[in-house]
């Protein structure tokens, strides 16, 4: 039985694909209860714009405030279960000769769902680092915030890429090489606004890949895709996997 929201041609394309890339954004975690980047922040943080707080300037100006914002997000993410969309991607990987998951998200939910070798373009908020690039996933929370690095006593910051910061060179290089070589790329749950991540589907397109978007809304990518599946990833991805294999 072919579901009428998923084109037969897409099922055929996925079934015969050789190298598949999936690029995800905050939307894939929305059904886990993690607010997307452009959702209104809740409660204490309603009066702040994430675009302002996720910057080196904000951390310079008020390290305690930025540290506390990430603590709030870390605690929220820790309570958020991976959803059916994350799990469908774990399942999809088992059927494909070559599958690469590239995420803009910093919540670590793909790894908690069981995805392997995830390319995290923007880092991961469950990790912190100091100016000496010591990466830590646990630290003493004393009265002083941000806490200090257990290795060198410098203050810690979240191990994420802020707006205005360069992505890790080898991470971006690996992501670009992967999308150049793929024959099918999915853009899932992203507004396709943040660069350089938003350029990756276009690079795949230029190298002959078929492009699929999964999102309840249209984005700047939508006019360029071969298939657009309007809806929630937690509903569409499991259905796509079930219909394909
Ligand atoms: C850089 C970590 C060099 C922090 C993040 C070129 C042109 C214009 C601007 C720039 C450019 N090059 C660089 C810039 C500046 C900037 C940028 O892109 N600005 C944009 C916004 C105008 N980029 C940078 O600064 C990058 N660095 O390029 O360095 C440089 C430096 C200086 C100057 C020039 C060049 C660094 C960007 C990394 C920023 N860090 N995260 C943290 O999280 O705290 S990005 C942040 O936004 C999150 O990681 C998030 O994932 C990401 C992207 O947003 P989305 O994932 O798309 O989330 P969003 O909320 O926007 O959309 C959610 C979507 O899901 C929606 O479409 C919604 O409809 C959909 N949805 C909702 N529910 C569901 C769903 N979809 C499916 N299912 C559902 N259930």
């Amino acid at each position: 039985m072919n579901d009428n929201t998923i084109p037969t041609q897409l099922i055929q394309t996925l079934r015969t694909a050789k190298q598949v890339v999936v690029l995800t954004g905050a939307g894939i975690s929305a059904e886990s209860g993690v607010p997307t980047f452009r959702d209104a922040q809740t409660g204490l943080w309603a009066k702040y714009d994430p675009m302002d707080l996720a910057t080196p300037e904000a951390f310079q100006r008020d390290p305690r405030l930025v540290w506390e914002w990430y603590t709030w997000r870390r605690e929220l993410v820790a309570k958020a279960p991976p959803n059916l969309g994350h799990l469908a991607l774990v399942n999809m990987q088992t059927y494909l000769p070559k599958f690469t998951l590239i995420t803009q998200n910093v919540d670590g939910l793909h790894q908690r769902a069981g995805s392997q070798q995830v390319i995290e373009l923007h880092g991961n908020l469950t990790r912190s680092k100091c100016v000496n690039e010591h990466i830590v996933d646990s630290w003493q929370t004393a009265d002083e915030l941000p806490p200090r690095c257990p290795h060198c006593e410098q203050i810690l910051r979240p191990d994420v890429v802020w707006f205005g910061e360069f992505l890790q060179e080898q991470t971006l290089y690996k992501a670009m090489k992967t999308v150049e070589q793929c024959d099918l790329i999915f853009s899932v749950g992203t507004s396709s606004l943040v660069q350089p991540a938003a350029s990756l589907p276009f690079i795949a397109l230029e190298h002959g890949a078929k492009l699929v978007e999964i999102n309840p809304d249209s984005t700047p990518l939508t006019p360029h895709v071969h298939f657009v599946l309007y809806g929630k990833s937690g509903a569409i991805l499991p259905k796509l996997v079930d219909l394909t294999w």
Side-chain angles (χ1 to χ4, degrees), residues 193-207:
L193 294 173
V194 173
Q195 296 294 352
S199 301
L200 293 173
F202 290 99
I203 295 170
L205 210 51
E206 283 156 20
H207 284 76

Side-chain angles (χ1 to χ4, degrees), residues 110-215:
H110 284 302
Q111 292 92 321
R112 280 176 45 201
S115 288
Q116 314 284 326
Q117 286 98 33
V118 181
I119 298 179
E120 294 180 309
L121 294 176
H122 300 151
N124 187 314
L125 57 61
T126 61
R127 298 188 302 262
S128 293
K129 65 181 180 184
C130 67
V131 285
N132 297 319
E133 290 296 320
H134 293 127
I135 310 278
V136 293
D137 53 18
S138 66
W139 46 84
Q140 295 295 329
T141 38
D143 297 346
E144 183 201 16
L145 290 179
R148 299 217 166 248
C149 171
H151 304 291
C152 67
E153 290 294 304
Q154 293 297 320
I155 70 162
L156 289 172
R157 55 159 281 180
D159 182 23
V160 297
V161 179
W162 279 327
F163 288 98
E165 291 186 320
F166 287 86
L167 279 65
Q168 291 245 335
E169 204 173 323
Q170 69 272 29
T171 302
L172 184 56
Y173 177 79
K174 191 173 166 199
M176 293 178 93
K177 278 290 148 226
T178 306
V179 298
E180 282 174 8
Q181 291 156 8
C182 76
D183 52 345
L184 179 60
I185 182 166
F186 290 82
S187 175
V188 182
T190 176
S191 58
S192 298
L193 294 173
V194 173
Q195 296 294 352
S199 301
L200 293 173
F202 290 99
I203 295 170
L205 210 51
E206 283 156 20
H207 284 76
K210 289 279 183 287
L211 175 52
V212 189
E213 183 174 50
I214 298 175
N215 194 315

Side-chain angles (χ1 to χ4, degrees), residues 16-240:
T16 54
K18 300 275 178 295
Q19 301 194 43
V20 174
V21 170
V22 177
L23 170 69
T24 63
I28 196 164
S29 295
E31 290 158 89
S32 297
V34 180
T36 65
F37 226 69
R38 282 157 187 76
D39 272 350
Q41 297 287 322
T42 55
L44 172 67
W45 302 103
K47 61 179 182 289
Y48 297 101
D49 175 356
M51 297 289 287
D52 294 338
L53 283 182
T55 63
E57 293 76 17
F59 189 69
Q60 190 69 36
R61 195 172 52 241
D62 192 339
R64 186 183 184 96
L65 174 73
V66 173
W67 180 266
E68 288 177 334
W69 181 53
Y70 279 92
T71 301
W72 173 73
R73 290 174 65 189
R74 206 176 292 119
E75 289 165 356
L76 185 142
V77 160
K79 290 190 287 238
N83 64 59
L84 293 175
H86 297 108
L87 295 168
L89 294 179
V90 178
N91 200 3
M92 184 186 282
Q93 181 159 16
T94 64
Y95 292 107
L96 288 163
K98 195 157 170 25
F99 174 96
T100 307
L101 179 52
I102 301 172
T103 190
Q104 299 172 83
N105 299 341
V106 296
D107 57 29
L109 287 182
H110 284 302
Q111 292 92 321
R112 280 176 45 201
S115 288
Q116 314 284 326
Q117 286 98 33
V118 181
I119 298 179
E120 294 180 309
L121 294 176
H122 300 151
N124 187 314
L125 57 61
T126 61
R127 298 188 302 262
S128 293
K129 65 181 180 184
C130 67
V131 285
N132 297 319
E133 290 296 320
H134 293 127
I135 310 278
V136 293
D137 53 18
S138 66
W139 46 84
Q140 295 295 329
T141 38
D143 297 346
E144 183 201 16
L145 290 179
R148 299 217 166 248
C149 171
H151 304 291
C152 67
E153 290 294 304
Q154 293 297 320
I155 70 162
L156 289 172
R157 55 159 281 180
D159 182 23
V160 297
V161 179
W162 279 327
F163 288 98
E165 291 186 320
F166 287 86
L167 279 65
Q168 291 245 335
E169 204 173 323
Q170 69 272 29
T171 302
L172 184 56
Y173 177 79
K174 191 173 166 199
M176 293 178 93
K177 278 290 148 226
T178 306
V179 298
E180 282 174 8
Q181 291 156 8
C182 76
D183 52 345
L184 179 60
I185 182 166
F186 290 82
S187 175
V188 182
T190 176
S191 58
S192 298
L193 294 173
V194 173
Q195 296 294 352
S199 301
L200 293 173
F202 290 99
I203 295 170
L205 210 51
E206 283 156 20
H207 284 76
K210 289 279 183 287
L211 175 52
V212 189
E213 183 174 50
I214 298 175
N215 194 315
D217 301 334
S218 296
T219 73
L221 187 68
T222 310
H224 305 273
V225 303
H226 294 93
F227 303 95
V228 51
L229 306 176
Y230 284 110
K232 295 184 174 183
S233 46
I236 291 174
L237 284 170
K239 198 181 292 181
L240 177 64

